[in-house]
Amino acid sequence: MKLAVVGGGSTYTPELIDGFARLRDTLPIDELVLIDPATERLELIGALARRIFAKQGHPARVTTTADLDAGVEGADAVLVQLRIGGQAARLRDETWPLECGCVGQETTGAGGLAKALRTVPVVLDIAERVRRANPDAWIIDFTNPVGIVTRALLRAGHKVVGLCNVAIGFQRRFSALLGLTPADIHLDHVGLNHLTWELGVRKGGPGGENLLPRLLAEHGEAIAGDLHLPRAVLDRLGVVPSYYLRYFYAHDEVVRELGRKPSRAAEVAAMEQELLALYADPTLDEKPELLARRGGAFYSEAAVDLAAALLGDGGSGSAVQVVNTLNNGTLPFLPDDAVIEVQARVDRSGAVPLAVPRLDPLYAGLVAHVTAYEDLALDAAVRGGRDRVFKALLAHPLVGQYDLAEGLTDRLLAHNKEHLPWA
């Protein structure tokens, strides 16, 4: 089995490598190709990957290349983890929206739209080249904004499933609080990427005993602390929102906080320099503890499980996992071609959403609103044009006023001209 990782020079790749090494019985890889145009970083990561595999006795061959077409040739699955413009672009995404009194964040609001505009055309080009090299290969998208990127790929007819680590993070956190194993926990996880709620925490699988009331009663304070939301909000809702919902539920408070502290992009950029210095140590043969602060916890486990299901034998190879895939009637108030994030049964044929609980209007309204924004964002990313950018921003629930949309459009285009040929 051959896997390719586009964006293999990311400082986060050793987390993925560690998962491949530890879970080799789940996903028996023969060859792993790391692909990245940043050759200096790529060689550091590639060398560390070989040492991690060697230490854990993994027999797979690890190769590196800047040549995308050569790297994906013959790959059974291609993982895409890109950040167009790097941390410098992220820093801008987190900064200029604040000038208009709006949240500056890399996956939602105006900053999230900027990232989508930069990213979608590049990922579509990569996917076309993967399809030419090997039309049977699966694409696993971990590139944010996952929902919009995955929808772009599906609309273009690619074999793709989107992946996020929010659900597996909740699964691990809840199981630890309840004294259960992660395999004991099934989440009624419903919504869009970075816009989800845990409507139930089931013991043993779908339809199992709902432990969510007990979880909130016994551990509500700890969970509220994780989310930076008041405990009273969780008690009133009776569900657990993704921590990204704080941008909607406490927008003005978040804007004030962001204006007072260093940006997350600046923190991550400094951390990346430390990580690269560690990776250069030829004696390092495991992921360093510092990497846990980089973000993306449990991504490696989620990626291994998804790849194993997509490349399995269709019987024992099937699995239930939270993924981003086509709605196809799962949420009846959304179009079939919307991309939702829910539990799905995954096998060699792809992902099919499981039935989900009815979504209360309190949440369904926001999901429908953001889906409409994503329609417009994808149109702007594919076709370009200032008016399309303005309309997407006007439709976003974190913007929604024409003067804000005008000001944000001007700033978005000014800060992204190098990545948007039409701007």
Side-chain angles (χ1 to χ4, degrees):
M1 182 186 298
K2 177 180 176 180
L3 260 64
V5 179
V6 179
S10 166
T11 56
Y12 194 73
T13 298
E15 169 67 28
L16 193 59
I17 301 300
D18 177 73
F20 288 154
R22 288 185 293 101
L23 303 172
R24 56 184 175 273
D25 292 338
T26 302
L27 187 68
I29 302 170
D30 301 305
E31 181 180 0
L32 178 65
V33 183
L34 306 180
I35 306 166
D36 204 298
T39 54
E40 185 174 344
R41 286 170 59 130
L42 183 62
E43 291 311 312
L44 278 182
I45 305 296
L48 175 57
R50 295 183 192 100
R51 295 194 298 270
I52 292 173
F53 272 18
K55 180 179 181 179
Q56 300 201 30
H58 198 300
R61 182 165 64 103
V62 178
T63 59
T64 59
T65 181
D67 186 334
L68 175 70
D69 298 305
V72 301
E73 183 71 38
D76 297 287
V78 179
L79 283 77
V80 182
Q81 51 172 35
L82 300 178
R83 184 181 296 280
I84 305 303
Q87 294 298 331
R90 177 179 180 174
L91 177 60
R92 292 192 293 270
D93 291 345
E94 293 179 352
T95 304
W96 53 263
L98 295 175
E99 298 170 4
C100 296
C102 294
V103 160
Q105 211 278 330
E106 63 162 343
T107 65
T108 193
L113 176 60
K115 187 169 190 181
L117 297 177
R118 294 192 303 267
T119 304
V120 166
V122 175
V123 175
L124 284 173
D125 176 67
I126 290 168
E128 287 296 335
R129 293 162 71 177
V130 170
R131 180 154 56 187
R132 287 198 298 268
N134 183 6
D136 293 326
W138 277 103
I139 295 174
I140 296 173
D141 175 57
F142 194 64
T143 298
N144 280 318
V146 167
I148 295 173
V149 173
T150 301
R151 191 171 188 182
L153 292 170
L154 286 167
R155 187 172 287 181
H158 296 289
K159 293 178 60 176
V160 60
V161 178
L163 184 63
C164 180
N165 70 317
V166 167
I168 193 172
F170 274 138
Q171 181 199 44
R172 300 305 173 90
R173 176 68 165 143
F174 295 166
S175 62
L177 290 172
L178 292 166
L180 301 171
T181 67
D184 291 327
I185 296 295
H186 174 93
L187 300 176
D188 290 337
H189 178 99
V190 185
L192 310 177
N193 180 242
H194 289 186
L195 195 84
T196 51
W197 297 263
E198 309 309 323
L199 305 184
V201 178
R202 306 284 175 179
K203 184 177 181 180
E209 178 189 2
N210 186 8
L211 303 177
L212 181 56
R214 172 188 156 193
L215 186 71
L216 290 175
E218 297 179 1
H219 305 287
E221 203 68 43
I223 295 169
D226 293 341
L227 303 175
H228 300 287
L229 288 172
R231 164 73 184 271
V233 171
L234 299 192
D235 290 340
R236 293 182 73 179
L237 296 178
V239 303
V240 179
S242 157
Y243 46 82
Y244 288 93
L245 265 298
R246 187 167 184 259
Y247 298 117
F248 296 83
Y249 292 164
H251 176 274
D252 293 353
E253 179 183 344
V254 171
V255 169
R256 289 191 292 269
E257 288 177 3
L258 293 175
R260 294 194 299 262
K261 66 180 185 179
S263 72
R264 174 63 177 165
E267 294 175 359
V268 171
M271 200 180 304
E272 286 193 337
Q273 293 307 307
E274 292 183 61
L275 286 169
L276 290 171
L278 292 172
Y279 296 164
D281 180 356
T283 66
L284 183 68
D285 56 7
E286 60 187 11
K287 65 176 183 180
E289 290 185 12
L290 177 62
L291 188 55
R293 292 165 42 203
R294 171 67 177 79
F298 308 116
Y299 164 44
S300 57
E301 286 91 338
V304 166
D305 289 344
L306 180 54
L310 291 171
L311 302 175
D313 61 13
S316 60
S318 64
V320 172
Q321 185 173 0
V322 172
V323 298
N324 286 261
T325 192
L326 289 173
N327 178 45
N328 282 338
T330 307
L331 298 179
F333 56 89
L334 295 184
D336 285 348
D337 69 345
V339 166
I340 60 175
E341 186 172 289
V342 294
Q343 294 276 8
R345 186 162 297 282
V346 185
D347 60 22
R348 291 181 67 88
S349 63
V352 177
L354 302 183
V356 300
R358 175 184 175 273
L359 203 55
D360 186 280
L362 179 61
Y363 317 121
L366 187 54
V367 167
H369 195 160
V370 174
T371 298
Y373 151 75
E374 290 187 347
D375 284 342
L376 295 167
L378 181 52
D379 187 43
V382 172
R383 297 202 289 164
R386 188 188 188 282
D387 283 349
R388 294 188 181 95
V389 173
F390 169 79
K391 289 176 181 177
L393 286 167
L394 187 62
H396 200 293
L398 296 183
V399 182
Q401 300 178 62
Y402 72 85
D403 56 341
L404 284 180
E406 288 284 9
L408 290 166
T409 299
D410 290 339
R411 287 166 173 79
L412 186 156
L413 297 180
H415 285 288
N416 287 277
K417 283 186 176 181
E418 64 184 294
H419 301 292
L420 306 176
W422 48 266

